[in-house]
């Protein structure tokens, strides 16, 4: 009996790990796919399935410009076709519409009037300049329009949206009220745009936002009016002259902070700016730091590679150390600086006692 129970438990574990969720890297941020919900496991069929076989087995209702594989009856693959418009006569039950790598320049309500069950709409690598009337897509949870020509964050987005990916556009502004009702949004990607500032009210409504990527914009300071719910904040590849004590004030749950390639110098960073007990990972690589900044003892991952650091200061990690006072640091990267392993002070092991990896 015990053997049978173990076998059943093993099967359940295998089923859960193989079928429940799958993860894939997508624009630098993982995309989780829930197979138990019947979500398609691929974003494109290009090079994966024989095109002639798909054409021969497409159902009659499938638009000629698309593929409708029988294993994913709610998915419509119209990517990589050179389309200038969304195909006509989309199937009513379509939940996953893949339109990436086409030449679509506009999106209006008439194109999707008869398709109201959409959960995913993927429009990456098109020529979009504006979006209109997506608010009627009440079931839409994931909307991707990376690598287009959008100049502002569109308004009238569906209230139920969970992920909005608008990376690598030409966005320089956020329309008033764009996020007012997006209480379910947990991920917002705006990297690779032209934003210079975020004013009070621009992100109002994002009460559950977890990940915010503002990397590769034109910020000269950390924006002050960001949702306090954010746990992952990416600001790399902006020009930040310095960080004051309140640069990250109000972030009670901030766990992951990326500030690489920002031109940061030690003298322009306030000693207490990273004093966030919630912080787990801090990336300060590829800057101009000459000293190791003060970090909380709770920090577990610190990336300082390719700076100008010349010495190892234990007090950056521990203000004091003892049986219960030590750094929780696990991974410390210092390669590409102006110091060697021989320069480590003899007492560093009493502070970094749980360190797993150090690179110098």
């Amino acid at each position: 009996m015990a053997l049978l129970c173990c076998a059943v438990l093993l099967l359940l574990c295998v089923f859960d790990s193989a079928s429940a969720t799958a993860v894939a890297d997508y624009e630098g941020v993982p995309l989780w796919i829930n197979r138990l919900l019947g979500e398609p496991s691929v974003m494109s069929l290009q090079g994966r399935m024989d095109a002639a076989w798909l054409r021969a087995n497409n159902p009659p209702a499938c638009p000629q410009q698309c593929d409708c594989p029988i294993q994913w009856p709610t998915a419509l693959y119209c990517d990589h076709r050179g389309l200038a418009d969304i195909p006509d006569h989309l199937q009513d039950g379509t939940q996953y519409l893949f339109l990436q790598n086409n030449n679509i320049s506009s999106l209006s309500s008439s194109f999707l009037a008869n398709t109201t069950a959409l959960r995913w709409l993927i429009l990456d690598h098109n020529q979009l300049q504006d979006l209109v009337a997506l608010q009627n897509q009440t079931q839409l949870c994931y909307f991707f329009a990376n690598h287009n020509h959008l100049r502002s964050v569109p308004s009238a987005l569906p209230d139920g949206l969970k992920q909005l990916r608008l990376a690598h556009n030409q966005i320089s502004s956020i329309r008033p009220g764009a996020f007012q009702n997006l209480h379910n949004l947990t991920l917002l990607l705006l990297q690779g745009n032209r934003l210079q500032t975020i004013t009070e009210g621009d992100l109002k409504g994002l009460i559950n936002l977890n990940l915010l990527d503002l990397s590769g914009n034109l910020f000269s300071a950390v924006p002050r009016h960001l949702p306090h719910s954010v746990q992952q904040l990416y600001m790399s590849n902006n020009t930040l002259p310095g960080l004051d004590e309140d640069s990250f004030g109000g972030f009670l749950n901030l766990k992951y902070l990326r500030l690489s390639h920002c031109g940061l110098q030690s003298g322009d960073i306030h000693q207490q700016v990273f004093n966030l007990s919630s912080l787990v990972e801090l990336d300060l690589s590829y800057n101009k730091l000459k000293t190791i900044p003060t970090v909380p003892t709770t920090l577990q991952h610190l990336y300082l590679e390719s700076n100008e650091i010349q010495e190892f200061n234990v007090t950056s990690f521990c203000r004091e150390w003892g049986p219960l006072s030590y750094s929780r640091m696990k991974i410390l990267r210092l390669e590409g600086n102006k110091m060697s392993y021989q320069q480590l002070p003899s007492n560093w092991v009493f502070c970094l006692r749980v360190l797993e990896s150090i690179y110098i």
Side-chain angles (χ1 to χ4, degrees):
M1 184 66 180
L3 183 61
L4 178 60
C5 290
C6 290
V8 171
L9 180 60
L10 179 61
L11 286 173
L12 287 174
C13 291
V14 170
F15 179 80
D16 180 68
S17 61
S19 303
T21 55
V23 65
D25 185 58
Y26 189 81
E27 289 294 332
V29 177
L31 175 65
W32 288 89
I33 297 171
N34 193 327
R35 294 178 180 174
L36 290 180
L37 293 179
E39 292 180 342
S41 62
V42 296
M43 305 284 294
S44 175
L45 299 181
Q46 294 291 313
R48 296 176 180 268
M49 301 184 70
D50 182 71
W53 184 90
L54 282 171
R55 292 286 182 276
N57 290 276
N58 274 343
C62 185
Q64 292 184 353
Q65 307 99 316
C66 307
D67 289 322
C68 307
I70 55 176
Q71 63 268 47
W72 295 306
T74 60
L76 198 57
Y77 295 84
C78 313
D79 57 289
H80 296 82
R81 306 299 168 93
L83 302 177
D85 295 307
I86 295 178
D88 295 328
H89 310 298
L90 298 180
Q91 294 173 291
D92 293 342
T94 301
Q95 297 182 25
Y96 308 94
L97 180 55
F98 302 117
L99 288 161
Q100 64 269 30
N101 292 90
N102 282 295
N103 297 312
I104 299 170
S105 59
S106 62
L107 182 66
S108 65
S109 57
S110 59
F111 285 115
L112 301 172
N114 298 321
T115 307
T116 58
L118 282 182
R119 286 177 47 82
W120 292 15
L121 178 56
I122 315 298
L123 281 158
D124 297 341
H125 293 280
N126 274 280
Q127 308 294 323
L128 288 173
Q129 299 183 23
D130 199 7
L131 300 171
V132 182
L134 278 177
Q135 74 271 21
N136 294 328
Q137 297 297 322
T138 57
Q139 304 301 312
L140 193 64
C141 295
Y142 302 90
F143 178 58
F144 302 171
N146 303 302
H147 297 279
N148 278 277
H149 302 300
L150 300 175
R151 297 184 180 276
S152 64
V153 174
S155 57
L157 293 167
D159 294 352
L161 212 58
K162 294 181 179 179
Q163 291 192 12
L164 178 60
R165 304 191 184 213
L166 301 176
H168 304 290
N169 278 274
Q170 301 170 17
I171 296 172
S172 59
S173 63
I174 299 173
R175 291 179 181 175
F179 299 110
Q180 183 70 38
N181 298 315
L182 300 190
H183 304 319
N184 296 316
L185 197 72
T186 60
L187 181 146
L188 175 60
L189 302 189
L190 291 170
Q191 71 266 34
N193 281 286
R194 300 177 181 178
L195 289 167
Q196 298 184 47
T197 185
I198 292 178
T199 60
E200 186 174 7
D202 282 352
L203 301 184
K204 184 179 180 181
L206 299 180
I207 59 176
N208 287 305
L209 191 66
N210 180 290
L211 190 156
L212 175 61
D213 196 338
L214 298 172
S215 303
N217 276 276
L218 303 175
F219 292 105
S220 58
V222 178
R224 297 291 184 182
H225 307 287
L226 300 180
H228 292 170
S229 61
V230 170
Q231 296 184 28
Q232 303 175 69
L233 177 61
Y234 304 158
M235 288 285 301
S236 298
N237 290 285
N238 284 283
T239 303
L240 304 178
L243 300 172
D244 58 40
E245 184 177 9
D246 298 323
S247 290
F248 305 104
F251 286 102
L252 302 178
N253 301 305
L254 189 61
K255 291 181 172 61
Y256 301 90
L257 179 59
R258 295 181 183 176
L259 294 167
S260 64
H261 297 278
C262 288
L264 291 169
Q265 301 185 44
S266 295
D268 298 321
I269 297 179
H270 193 278
Q271 188 175 8
Q272 298 297 319
V273 67
F274 301 124
N275 188 25
L276 305 167
S277 60
S278 61
L279 205 59
V280 173
E281 180 177 290
L282 176 61
D283 184 357
L284 293 168
S285 60
Y286 296 92
N287 280 289
K288 300 178 180 179
L289 303 178
K290 295 183 180 298
T291 59
I292 299 175
T294 301
V295 297
T297 57
T298 52
L299 193 68
Q300 297 181 25
H301 302 261
L302 178 59
Y303 306 124
L304 289 166
E305 64 267 29
S306 299
N307 276 277
E308 301 172 6
I309 298 171
Q310 302 178 22
E311 62 177 345
F312 190 97
N313 191 347
V314 178
T315 58
S316 295
F317 306 96
C318 298
R319 268 52 75 192
E320 59 181 21
W321 50 86
L324 299 177
S325 300
Y326 56 90
S327 171
R328 271 61 179 179
M329 189 70 64
K330 294 182 178 179
I331 297 178
L332 176 59
R333 298 192 58 171
L334 286 162
E335 68 267 35
N337 282 280
K338 299 180 178 180
M339 61 176 297
S340 65
Y341 186 83
Q342 287 72 28
Q343 291 176 267
L344 293 177
S346 58
N347 61 351
W348 74 274
V349 293
F350 299 107
C351 168
L352 301 171
R353 62 173 64 181
V354 297
L355 192 68
E356 297 175 359
S357 301
I358 182 170
Y359 303 89
I360 298 181

